[in-house]
Every structure is written in structure tokens, then in C-alpha cells.
Amino acid sequence: MHDLQCESLSKRFGAYTAVDSVSFAVPRGSFFSILGPSGCGKTTLMRMIAGFETPTGGDIRIKGRSVLSTPPNKRPVKMVFQHLALFPMMNVGENIAYGLRCRGENRADIARKVARVLDRVGLPGAAEKQVSQLSGGQKQRIAIARCMVLEPDVLLLDEPLGALDLKLRERMKIELKQLQHQFETTFLYITHDQSEALLMSDNVAVMNAGRFEQIGAPQDLYNNPKTGFVAGFVGDSNRWPGRALSVSDGKVRVAIDGGGEAIALAGDERIAAGGPVELFVRPEVISIGAGSGNGLEGTVESLLFNGASSRILVRMANGHLVEVGQAVMDGSVKIAPGETVAIGWSRSHGRAFSVAG
């Protein structure tokens, strides 16, 4: 069963197409993210689902029923905005109860529901607190509680972590995933932050220029990108322009611009011998030393320590800068800037994608 389905959904503003015939389905009780750069159409898509924008074409169904003619306040969806939009003149309990009062529910039921949802978001007894007394993470949970007390079929979240500082944002990623499991409600989340989408989601749709490039589990998008855009946008990648020398059995031999060759998996079916390609290799699969099938040589430019995300930057003879991730950064590997090193990676860890002429 799907809580949300969009079929050939489009939105045009004059000659500009913001959303171009997008189709997808969100399984019941799942965490589904739409990931893409600013201006790709993801906010317009969410506003159509919420009812704030009228589609130019296509259909939106919630639990199998079209909601195109249903006004926003009658749709079984609620939305958490980036800036949360809590009422500063109301205390926590009044903020959460607002939608229930608009429905005309009695005081006893409202008090019971507010207490229950506060307990579920980990803030029992906070009903009398003022919004100004809350931390950023607590405000986030109250914004979610205000929506969830109305028991929507789908909760829409429009980059709700964007205004938080880095440390709090990292913690709230985990809390949001836990809240989604706790409420067993379908979450539709939009973001330009790949780490948010990969960490929290059951499935992710990567959006570019109004279209979905690929939909899949985070592991699939990361390990098996279907387009060069997905390979470059999801996760970190070294990327080099080049030319396909030959294509055989799903592998392509690439002549890297400026010098060097590598064997990679063919990322798409449009690659032809002699055609322009881009080669993508993730930093964590590259190591200092000979690789299994691919190897280049360069000069260590700098060492960047960042715990598990530490990198060695190696400048190749052709001028390309390579991020190398498979290196021990605790001092046991003695590599210094200016040193000449060999780097390598397995052929199966590279992806080559055709480049439109």
C-alpha cells in the first residue's frame, strides 16, 4: 500500500517548467526524501502535494484517493516548514492544540492529545513553557508535535534542519528518524543536503532540473548511480573528463584528459568508443599504493585531518587533484607534502558516464 502517489505531475510558470512529469509512490509508513540542488523544483513539488500550488498536469493521490480538488486545509497532510512557524505569543501546549481547537474538539480531548504527543516527542510536562524558552531542537520537536497531533496520513518536511547549527543538525537527523518510526507515519522530506537524505531515508529521489534522475535506497544511489549527475551529487567523488577508448562487457577504457588511463564500469548505455565521458571515483576507494587494475602517480599536496573523513590530496602530473580517502591519519602512515606516491583503486569502483555533446 502507498500513502502517497504522484503520476506525471507537472508545474509550469509561463514558459518555465519547474516540475516536469514526475511520477513516484511512497510506501506506507516510510521515510522518503527528495534530494536536489536549489532551484531543481523540489519545493514546488511539495507545495503541490500540500495544495499550495495547483499542478499544470498529472495527479496526486493519498491512500488511493485523488486530492487535486481538495483544498489545503482538508488534505490529510501536514507540513513542517524550515523556519517552523511556531506562534511566539502562545505557549507550547497552545501551539500544539491550535489545530485541534480549529477542528472544534473539546478541552478534555485536546488536553489528553497534547499530553500524549508531548510524551511521544520526549518533552513531557512542557505544555506550559514559552516558545522562547525552548532550544532549537526542542522547537523542532514541537513543530512536529503540532502536526502529528492531527494524525496526518503524510507529514511533509521542507528542509526543517536548515536553520540549525551543525552539531544540532547532526543530532536532529537521528531524532527525526526515531520520531518517524515512533509515529509510524509516512514522512516526505525535501533537502539539498545529501547527508540528511542518506542517513534518514528508506528511499531517496534525486531531482535535477524538474525531473527525477534516480529513485532508490541510499545504498543503491551511492554505490550504483545511474547518471553522472547522481554520481556527482550523492557523496563525494573525484571526477575527471576523458574519452572512451573502448567499450566491452560493461567496462570502458578511459583516456583521462591531460594524461593517464583507467578501466571503469560503464555507467550508462550511451557511451561509445571515441566519445566524451566523465570518470567518477570515490575518495574512500582510492589508496596509496598499487590498485587492482588502475594506478596513477602524483605528488602529495596536503593532508587534511577530519577523523573518519580524513583525506590526502594528491596532484597528478596532468594537473588533476585527487582526494585519497583510504589512508591511516593517526600518524602511523608517514606521508609528507611533496612526496611522490602511487595511488590505485579497483576497476569495479570507477564509473564512467557519457557526456552530452
Side-chain angles (χ1 to χ4, degrees), residues 295-311:
L296 297 172
E297 191 175 87
T299 303
V300 175
E301 190 159 292
S302 58
L303 285 71
L304 308 177
F305 181 78
N306 187 25
S309 300
S310 296
R311 298 283 191 264

Side-chain angles (χ1 to χ4, degrees), residues 144-278:
I144 292 173
R146 185 174 62 178
C147 293
M148 296 309 300
V149 77
L150 299 171
E151 300 180 334
D153 291 332
V154 180
L155 182 65
L156 309 176
L157 300 105
D158 184 5
E159 305 209 43
L161 306 185
L164 303 180
D165 62 66
L166 178 61
K167 197 73 173 179
L168 181 56
R169 193 160 65 241
E170 292 301 313
R171 189 172 80 241
M172 284 306 300
K173 293 176 191 177
I174 298 172
E175 289 197 14
L176 272 178
K177 183 64 174 177
Q178 291 173 329
L179 286 171
Q180 191 264 331
H181 275 302
Q182 190 171 9
F183 283 105
E184 297 181 338
T185 299
T186 298
F187 277 24
L188 180 65
Y189 190 97
I190 66 169
T191 181
H192 65 273
D193 186 325
Q194 53 167 304
S195 66
E196 290 179 9
L198 296 179
L199 181 66
M200 296 187 291
S201 309
D202 299 308
N203 285 286
V204 179
V206 181
M207 194 170 190
N208 180 35
R211 289 179 172 269
F212 282 177
E213 297 259 340
Q214 186 175 348
I215 301 175
Q219 299 94 323
D220 291 336
L221 296 178
Y222 190 85
N223 294 318
N224 299 296
K226 301 301 182 186
T227 68
F229 178 84
V230 175
F233 194 78
V234 178
D236 296 326
S237 281
N238 294 290
R239 55 194 301 176
W240 305 302
R243 180 170 53 88
L245 296 176
S246 62
V247 184
S248 177
D249 297 325
K251 295 183 177 65
V252 55
R253 187 161 62 97
V254 177
I256 301 170
D257 287 356
E261 288 188 12
I263 305 293
L265 298 182
D268 62 68
E269 297 178 352
R270 295 177 299 154
I271 296 177
V277 297
E278 270 198 304

